[in-house]
């Protein structure tokens, strides 16, 4: 069982809430480093793991692979007969190694959310790079600002030994959202960390709700106990 399931399932059961809310989960991926094949395959495996764990209904996925230009490989609205078919499709996506225009990829990702996203869904964008991009710092900053204004939470992932953490930190409003995968890791770990970061604010809110429920139950028991004592007198 995943760590977040151990934390959340008892809370959500009492509150009658789904463990995973509706999420539009986008990925923009660039793997151009020396270990590009390994890095790219690892991220695809992590996405496949997310599909396996959370299905394709509450969580919908978009994948953009980018080099000099970004290419949409999977849209939020793409339909698949089953999770297994979707996983096979994702693991078959191919990489591009010519350049790394991060600013263009972020703009393309925003277009995907605007055109294809669900209005009520939580919007998460996972940005994966294994090397510094070719974009200027200013153009990346502007593209990231546009995502922030649209309410899209950005979770950067630095994967592989050549990844530029400083560049990735600049595209998120909260530096703690960054997932550092420069050291050897596995797809399960990356998938779990993505979900924990995606649900971070929601976890805190719902745990507070849980505490209120427990407090209410405790007060009810106290009143009931006092009522029994009064009746016995």
């Amino acid at each position: 069982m995943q760590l977040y399931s151990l934390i959340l399932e008892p809370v959500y059961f009492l509150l009658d809430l789904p463990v995973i809310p509706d999420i539009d989960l986008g990925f923009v991926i660039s793997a151009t480093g020396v270990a590009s094949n390994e890095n790219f395959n690892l991220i695809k495996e992590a996405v496949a793991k997310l599909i396996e764990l959370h299905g394709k209904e509450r969580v919908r996925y978009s994948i953009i692979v980018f080099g000099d230009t970004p290419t949409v490989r999977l849209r939020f609205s793409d339909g698949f007969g089953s999770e297994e078919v979707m996983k096979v499709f994702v693991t078959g996506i191919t990489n591009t190694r010519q350049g790394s225009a991060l600013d263009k990829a972020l703009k393309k990702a925003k277009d995907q959310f605007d055109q294809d996203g669900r209005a009520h869904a939580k919007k998460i964008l996972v940005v994966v790079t294994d090397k510094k991009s070719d974009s200027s710092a200013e153009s990346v900053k502007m593209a990231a600002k546009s995502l922030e204004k649209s309410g899209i939470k950005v979770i950067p992932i630095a994967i592989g030994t050549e990844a530029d953490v400083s560049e990735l930190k600049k595209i998120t409003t909260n530096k703690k959202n960054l997932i550092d995968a420069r050291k050897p890791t596995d797809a399960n770990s990356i998938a779990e960390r993505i979900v924990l970061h995606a649900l971070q604010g929601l976890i805190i809110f719902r745990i507070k709700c849980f505490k209120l429920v427990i407090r209410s139950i405790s007060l009810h028991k106290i009143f009931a106990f006092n009522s029994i004592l009064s009746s016995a007198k």
Side-chain angles (χ1 to χ4, degrees):
M1 182 178 287
Q2 303 295 304
L3 174 60
Y4 55 83
S5 294
L6 288 171
I7 297 170
L8 297 180
E9 284 181 1
V11 177
Y12 289 12
F13 174 77
L14 288 176
L15 296 176
D16 192 26
L17 296 169
V19 174
I20 298 295
D22 288 344
I23 298 175
D24 286 339
L25 182 58
F27 287 82
V28 294
I29 307 170
S30 170
T32 60
V34 173
S36 59
N37 287 338
E38 293 86 344
N39 296 334
F40 191 71
N41 288 335
L42 180 60
I43 291 302
K44 289 194 298 180
E45 289 171 17
V47 177
K49 190 66 181 177
L50 288 168
I51 296 168
E52 177 186 321
L53 290 171
H54 305 297
K56 58 184 181 64
E57 301 303 327
R58 287 196 176 281
V59 183
R60 295 188 182 178
Y61 306 85
S62 168
I63 297 177
I64 295 170
V65 178
F66 70 98
D68 290 329
T69 57
T71 303
V72 180
R73 299 293 175 82
L74 177 65
R75 300 179 185 276
F76 291 124
S77 58
D78 285 347
F80 293 87
S82 68
E83 283 81 7
E84 196 59 39
V85 172
M86 191 176 191
K87 283 167 57 181
V88 171
F89 176 85
V90 167
T91 54
I93 291 174
T94 56
N95 190 18
T96 178
R97 298 181 184 82
Q98 295 182 345
S100 180
L102 179 57
D103 55 347
K104 293 180 182 178
L106 295 178
K107 291 175 185 176
K108 180 64 101 174
K110 184 180 180 300
D111 290 342
Q112 283 297 294
F113 282 103
D114 291 343
Q115 297 166 10
D116 228 9
R118 295 168 292 177
H120 68 282
K122 188 175 177 67
K123 296 171 177 60
I124 306 292
L125 179 64
V126 180
V127 180
V128 187
T129 64
D130 69 348
K131 196 174 180 179
K132 191 180 188 309
S133 77
D134 301 327
S135 304
S136 69
E138 186 60 30
S139 62
V140 169
K141 182 180 179 180
M142 288 178 63
K145 193 71 176 176
S146 180
L147 291 168
E148 180 189 347
K149 287 180 179 179
S150 296
I152 300 168
K153 181 176 182 176
V154 177
I155 301 174
I157 300 181
I159 187 168
T161 57
E162 297 176 272
D164 190 321
V165 171
S166 61
E167 180 178 55
L168 289 173
K169 282 183 178 179
K170 294 174 183 176
I171 64 173
T172 180
T173 56
N174 185 350
K175 305 299 184 287
K176 293 181 179 179
N177 285 339
L178 185 137
I179 296 173
D180 191 342
R182 286 177 293 175
K183 294 181 180 179
T185 186
D186 57 57
N188 288 350
S189 175
I190 291 176
E192 181 171 315
R193 290 164 75 183
I194 288 171
V195 175
L196 283 171
H197 281 286
L199 298 181
Q200 191 173 42
L202 193 63
I203 290 171
I204 295 169
F205 172 73
R206 290 189 170 175
I207 285 176
K208 286 181 179 178
C209 290
F210 175 67
K211 289 179 178 178
L212 288 174
V213 170
I214 295 300
R215 186 178 300 168
S216 176
I217 292 171
S218 298
L219 288 172
H220 176 75
K221 287 181 177 179
I222 290 169
F223 290 143
F225 182 68
N226 285 340
S227 178
I228 292 170
L229 288 177
S230 297
S231 299
K233 290 179 180 179

